[in-house]
Amino acid sequence: QQQVKQSPQSLIVQKGGISIINCAYENTAFDYFPWYQQFPGKGPALLIAIRPDVSEKKEGRFTISFNKSAKQFSLHIMDSQPGDSATYFCAARYYLRNNNDMRFGAGTRLTVKP
Amino acid sequence: NAGVTQTPKFQVLKTGQSMTLQCAQDMNHNSMYWYRQDPGMGLRLIYYSASEGTTDKGEVPNGYNVSRLNKREFSLRLESAAPSQTSVYFCASSENRGNEQFFGPGTRLTVL
């Protein structure tokens, strides 16, 4: 079963609106929570990431909110633009034998309408 | 810097055929990974390699083998392809204790 649950599966937002994608996890050994952005035909690329000792991280229009007690984190895209249309994956990482063992959510396809 | 490169970009196989997917990185990373991406499933780790000469199984290793040829190259082999292995395959690399994984452009594989 998926260790990181992501919702919604798809999201349509008007230009200028706020896009919100949510993720939940169970394993408290996770210590790093990135969000990846993927455009069609491309590999995922890191967008923004947070550690569990911080409740919020903001980079430009992108913000991660993190709730450690609820084991949930979310991505907020402010002033959404058509160029933000992509698939977004949340992920959670724990070290396993000196490796980044990353578990991904199922993805959210975001469409921003002009 | 090319980053992570993968070949081929597309491949069609018949059931039972074998093939090797190639991956190379020029970022001097120690760790490399193979993922498969399926609709509604996100990315799932097939195998990873912490360093040259070492490999370990991930979530979904059955039906695959890997070789860490040197620090730059990490290949994924399907010995006897099955339709269930139809997927998009991504290679990634990272520093040993680095946080970010860098992904290649992917190989779209169809098994008929």
Side-chain angles (χ1 to χ4, degrees):
Chain A
Q1 77 256 19
Q2 210 123 24
Q3 291 198 26
V4 180
K5 290 184 165 54
Q6 182 172 347
S7 62
Q9 202 170 13
S10 63
L11 182 61
I12 300 174
V13 172
Q14 289 294 129
K15 179 182 175 182
I18 303 174
S19 305
I20 302 174
I21 305 170
N22 300 300
C23 284
Y25 64 96
E26 287 298 324
N27 189 344
T28 56
F30 291 136
D31 67 347
Y32 171 71
F33 299 87
W35 285 88
Y36 280 81
Q37 180 187 54
Q38 184 181 29
F39 293 104
K42 305 289 186 186
L46 181 67
L47 182 64
I48 186 173
I50 198 168
R51 294 196 177 276
D53 53 349
V54 175
S55 61
E56 186 176 282
K57 183 174 182 180
K58 184 175 180 179
E59 289 183 1
R61 295 184 294 110
F62 301 91
T63 300
I64 301 179
S65 297
F66 189 87
N67 186 329
K68 189 173 181 178
S69 60
K71 292 186 280 188
Q72 295 175 347
F73 59 110
S74 60
L75 176 69
H76 296 233
I77 306 175
M78 312 299 287
D79 187 26
S80 299
Q81 299 296 313
D84 297 330
S85 297
T87 299
Y88 292 82
F89 294 96
C90 62
R93 189 274 315 264
Y94 62 92
Y95 283 128
L96 179 68
R97 292 191 292 276
N98 209 36
N99 270 279
N100 295 328
D101 193 338
M102 198 85 75
R103 300 299 166 115
F104 286 82
T108 296
R109 179 174 286 187
L110 172 66
T111 302
V112 181
K113 290 191 174 285
Chain B
N1 268 4
V4 179
T5 57
Q6 293 182 235
T7 56
K9 285 187 173 19
F10 302 93
Q11 184 71 49
V12 179
L13 293 177
K14 294 181 180 176
T15 297
Q17 287 185 316
S18 62
M19 80 159 296
T20 300
L21 281 64
Q22 306 287 354
C23 174
Q25 52 93 9
D26 62 2
M27 295 175 282
N28 203 36
H29 286 163
N30 284 312
S31 297
M32 297 185 74
Y33 312 82
W34 276 106
Y35 290 91
R36 59 177 291 172
Q37 183 177 38
D38 302 291
M41 301 291 287
L43 292 107
R44 291 180 293 167
L45 184 65
I46 304 171
Y47 269 94
Y48 60 92
S49 170
S51 60
E52 184 179 349
T54 68
T55 60
D56 281 287
K57 295 178 180 179
E59 291 179 76
V60 288
N62 292 346
Y64 305 95
N65 285 302
V66 290
S67 294
R68 184 73 183 269
L69 305 167
N70 47 55
K71 190 171 185 178
R72 289 187 63 248
E73 298 172 292
F74 188 37
S75 63
L76 178 72
R77 183 160 177 83
L78 287 70
E79 292 291 350
S80 179
S84 61
Q85 294 178 305
T86 293
S87 188
V88 181
Y89 291 86
F90 288 100
C91 177
S93 71
S94 73
E95 295 175 7
N96 260 355
R97 290 195 175 271
N99 299 324
E100 181 175 1
Q101 291 188 15
F102 294 82
F103 285 82
T107 294
R108 185 174 292 274
L109 175 67
T110 302
V111 183
L112 303 174

